[in-house]
Amino acid sequence: MIGNVAIAVVLTYGGYRVLHGQTQVGVLAAFLLYLRKFFEPMQDLSQFYNSLQSATAALEKLSGVLDEPPGVPEPARPTPLPQPRGALDFADVSFAYRSGRPVLPELDLHIPAGQTLAVVGATGAGKTTIAKLVSRFYDPTHGAVRLDGVDLRELSDATLRRAVVMVTQENYLFSGTVADNIRFGRPSATDEEVVEAAAAIGADGFIRALPEGYATAVHKRGGRLSAGQRQLVAFARAFLADPAVLILDEATSSLDIPSERLVQRALRTILADRTAIVIAHRLSTVEIADRVLVLDAGRIVEDGTPAQLVSGGGRYATLHQQWRDSLV
């Protein structure tokens, strides 16, 4: 009688009633269904546990970094610097990344407030090291770096970061909108000030052409923008910050010619009325400087205006001629 009579099996799960009939096949299907309902939460729980383990490991590493004592500690009683002018002095500065291998041996250098200084030289000559010392990523092994006569070691981090801004070859854009990334230069800036900063360095046109203008999401690491556009956003950020000292470390080296021309126009605006240190291999960027230093093994071998050094027949003149020949 079982083979001919339909068997109605009513199963209830989570508020739903599922009717299975037609012999023992229906019973098996119901069993498999509820077996799946049982294992799905277990699978979700195991995936959550794996994520929790990864997060715990990452937190331990992050805690280790945060617990590491800073290599450039803040002063106990920082010296105030309410209105920095931007004058920089390297007083008998020596620096070595490794003991016994000095990168800068006894450097003496004065950069007046408002001067644009270009630093050129072969790889390893010490150009980027100068930028890192001014930004106080490191402290000198000997001597002092001073801003407006105050040793950088006597300034608080907040004061120094407001006074000195560095723009590098690879500028990090955060996930968020174009306006958000520009506003990192000065978080309290209004929307109008953000637009003014972008317009001042020539970025307003391409930003307004984006699908949502200043509200366009740039995606992770600014992947939605080209290299030249990311660099213009970084310049707008620096312009909005309005630092007394601006450092450009190979800021145009990764750009193609059209992008470089856009950035060159922005540079003339952003460098006006502030102290600037420009580190570049492309002499098109150096041409806008008031003064050029040529470094060799951490020592200054030439110092003068671009015109003076070109006519002097020295190392800069050779570099300049090689650059002109490369354009032909």
Side-chain angles (χ1 to χ4, degrees):
M1 184 174 182
I2 295 177
N4 299 321
V5 179
I7 301 175
V9 180
V10 180
L11 301 172
T12 304
Y13 181 82
Y16 293 93
R17 296 177 60 84
V18 183
L19 179 64
H20 294 272
Q22 303 300 323
T23 71
Q24 297 176 354
V25 175
V27 178
L28 179 60
F31 174 75
L32 294 176
L33 172 65
Y34 284 99
L35 190 64
R36 179 182 176 186
K37 293 289 186 182
F38 172 77
F39 278 107
E40 279 182 351
M42 300 296 291
Q43 185 178 12
D44 292 341
L45 184 61
S46 66
Q47 291 176 351
F48 172 77
Y49 181 73
N50 290 336
S51 299
L52 180 62
Q53 291 289 90
S54 299
T56 302
L59 183 60
E60 289 177 356
K61 294 179 181 178
L62 182 59
S63 299
V65 173
L66 295 177
D67 291 340
E68 190 73 19
V72 284
E74 286 200 71
R77 295 182 178 179
T79 301
L81 195 67
Q83 294 294 332
R85 295 179 296 105
L88 289 169
D89 288 282
F90 286 72
D92 195 23
V93 169
S94 298
F95 179 78
Y97 293 102
R98 295 181 181 179
S99 179
R101 301 180 63 181
V103 179
L104 296 177
E106 301 177 357
L107 176 66
D108 287 292
L109 174 64
H110 173 66
I111 307 173
Q115 184 179 80
T116 298
L117 174 72
V119 185
V120 300
T123 301
K127 304 184 299 296
T128 298
T129 300
I130 289 177
K132 290 178 178 179
L133 291 176
V134 174
S135 302
R136 209 191 168 211
F137 295 161
Y138 299 95
D139 283 333
T141 308
H142 179 268
V145 181
R146 299 188 179 98
L147 174 61
D148 294 338
V150 180
D151 193 322
L152 297 186
R153 287 169 287 204
E154 299 176 8
L155 297 175
S156 67
D157 280 352
T159 298
L160 183 61
R161 300 304 165 218
R162 284 196 300 268
V164 180
V165 169
M166 179 186 288
V167 179
T168 63
Q169 176 181 348
E170 291 292 337
N171 286 284
Y172 195 96
L173 296 191
F174 299 88
S175 297
T177 67
V178 175
D180 291 338
N181 275 277
I182 296 176
R183 192 176 279 111
F184 276 115
R186 180 154 52 89
S188 62
T190 64
D191 291 342
E192 291 75 15
E193 290 172 328
V194 169
V195 173
E196 289 173 3
I201 57 94
D204 183 68
F206 93 80
I207 293 175
R208 292 190 183 276
L210 295 173
E212 297 178 61
Y214 284 83
T216 301
V218 300
H219 297 167
K220 186 178 181 180
R221 295 181 180 269
R224 193 169 187 175
L225 305 180
S226 68
Q229 290 171 338
R230 289 196 298 270
Q231 203 72 333
L232 286 174
V233 171
F235 283 147
R237 180 192 296 170
F239 186 86
L240 185 64
D242 193 24
V245 179
L246 178 64
I247 302 170
L248 304 180
D249 188 4
E250 301 287 359
T252 63
S253 61
S254 64
L255 304 180
D256 55 24
I257 298 301
S259 298
E260 185 185 11
R261 288 173 180 168
L262 284 174
V263 171
Q264 289 289 350
R265 287 194 290 268
L267 282 178
R268 296 186 182 276
T269 300
I270 198 173
L271 297 181
D273 301 323
R274 77 180 80 247
T275 305
I277 299 175
V278 179
I279 300 170
H281 284 107
R282 291 187 181 182
L283 298 192
S284 55
T285 305
V286 176
E287 295 268 300
I288 65 177
D290 303 317
R291 176 185 173 194
V292 177
L293 290 184
V294 181
L295 290 184
D296 182 23
R299 300 182 184 275
I300 300 173
V301 294
E302 292 183 19
D303 184 354
T305 66
Q308 288 173 341
L309 297 186
V310 167
S311 62
R315 298 192 185 189
Y316 181 77
T318 302
L319 290 173
H320 189 270
Q321 186 59 48
Q322 292 173 347
W323 169 68
R324 290 181 64 87
D325 292 342
S326 69
L327 299 178
V328 177

